[in-house]
Amino acid sequence: MVTRKSRAEIERMRRAGRLVGEVLDLLASELRPGVSTARLDALAEDHIRAGGGTPSFKGYPGINPQRPFPASVCISIDNEIVHGIPGERTIHAGQIVSIDAGAIVDGWHGDAARTFYVGDPPARVAELIDLTREAMLAGIAAAVPGNHIEDISAAVEAVAARVGLGVIRQFVGHGIGTAMHEEPQVPNYRTGRPGRKLEAGLCLAIEPMFTLGGYDTRILPDDWTVVTADGSMAAHFEHSIAVTDDGPQILTVA
Ligand code: MG
């Protein structure tokens, strides 16, 4: 079911979103060669809890009921697209690091992600990261009343198409509110169907995932980490936004 949020509810979502934005700023400042992904995760969890929130990813059910997500952020490196599990692994120069964070404050969710390169990226990798972010912003710009979900999808896909980036199809953006994943789904490619008409109060997580290769994915034996089937590098950006009569408002900023 699709729910439209009131202005007051959007303000409450902004509190969760602000916390998520702060977490990503914090981890960006701590991301350097030698830091462990477990350390980054601990910093994120501490910040979320100190801010009065709960990490929404921790304990989230996945494909294996015995293995809910064990951490507060997803850290996905190089050919990993999303849902990488923080642990003893340390960060190295020359890696593409995608960090996805989610928090709940007073029952309302925020969800956002950014991709970083550790060091000076090769030109093609810089293009991958820059265009994935640009596609997210293009998708957000299309999130205005009167448009449809397909307009967001088309705006995102068009950025990837400019230089032939792969667009992940298996994982998509989503509605967000009192649950992390609500209707409607927001694909990053055109489906040929208009999808829901956008109205003020609709809150969406818009999250392109692009690759330097194809769009096929597989899941590692940890039951979580999603990698490109062809081993190509991947990037992921996400903001939670509200559709309003004054235009799209990004909720996940510090
Ligand atoms: Mg999301």
Side-chain angles (χ1 to χ4, degrees):
M1 189 183 73
V2 177
T3 59
R4 293 169 62 190
K5 283 76 179 175
S6 68
R7 281 176 180 276
E9 289 170 335
I10 290 170
E11 288 312 308
R12 295 175 74 183
M13 286 186 65
R14 207 183 287 283
R15 294 176 54 205
R18 192 176 297 130
L19 201 47
V20 168
E22 288 171 3
V23 164
L24 292 175
D25 286 349
L26 172 65
L27 297 194
S29 72
E30 295 291 333
L31 186 66
R32 61 178 66 91
V35 69
S36 77
T37 52
R39 163 83 181 149
L40 296 172
D41 181 61
L43 288 168
E45 179 166 1
D46 287 350
H47 190 84
I48 291 169
R49 295 196 190 281
T54 306
S56 43
F57 297 175
K58 199 162 201 176
Y60 199 81
I63 57 172
N64 179 344
Q66 309 303 321
R67 287 173 123 174
F69 196 77
S72 296
V73 290
C74 301
I75 302 180
S76 308
I77 298 176
D78 290 340
N79 63 316
E80 299 170 2
I81 307 160
V82 286
H83 304 167
I85 301 175
E88 292 317 303
R89 194 158 62 148
T90 58
I91 298 297
H92 297 285
Q95 287 178 328
I96 302 171
V97 181
S98 298
I99 302 178
D100 195 341
I104 311 166
V105 176
D106 292 338
W108 294 90
H109 284 252
D111 186 9
R114 292 181 209 162
T115 295
F116 307 92
Y117 188 83
V118 187
D120 271 331
R124 184 69 171 152
V125 171
E127 187 173 60
L128 167 70
I129 295 172
D130 290 348
L131 291 184
T132 309
R133 181 171 180 277
E134 186 178 328
M136 172 190 69
L137 295 173
I140 292 170
V144 295
N147 266 356
H148 291 76
I149 293 292
E150 182 83 332
D151 294 300
I152 298 174
S153 304
V156 168
E157 185 180 47
V159 176
R162 285 201 325 240
V163 297
L165 298 174
V167 178
I168 297 299
R169 305 171 81 93
Q170 192 77 38
F171 298 86
V172 297
H174 49 91
I176 184 166
T178 53
M180 181 159 59
H181 295 115
E182 298 184 353
E183 292 297 317
Q185 292 198 342
V186 186
N188 294 307
Y189 58 95
R190 282 166 297 165
T191 61
R193 296 179 299 277
R196 189 188 162 83
K197 189 172 180 178
L198 304 181
E199 300 169 274
L202 200 56
C203 292
L204 303 171
I206 295 177
E207 51 174 326
M209 291 153 250
F210 290 170
T211 79
L212 289 180
Y215 59 71
D216 286 331
T217 64
R218 64 187 180 85
I219 295 178
L220 295 186
D222 65 17
D223 289 330
W224 277 103
T225 311
V226 181
V227 298
T228 55
D230 58 12
S232 61
M233 300 289 122
H236 175 214
F237 280 85
E238 175 180 25
H239 269 310
S240 302
I241 66 113
V243 178
T244 80
D245 290 323
D246 305 321
Q249 293 188 8
I250 295 175
L251 305 177
T252 35
V253 283

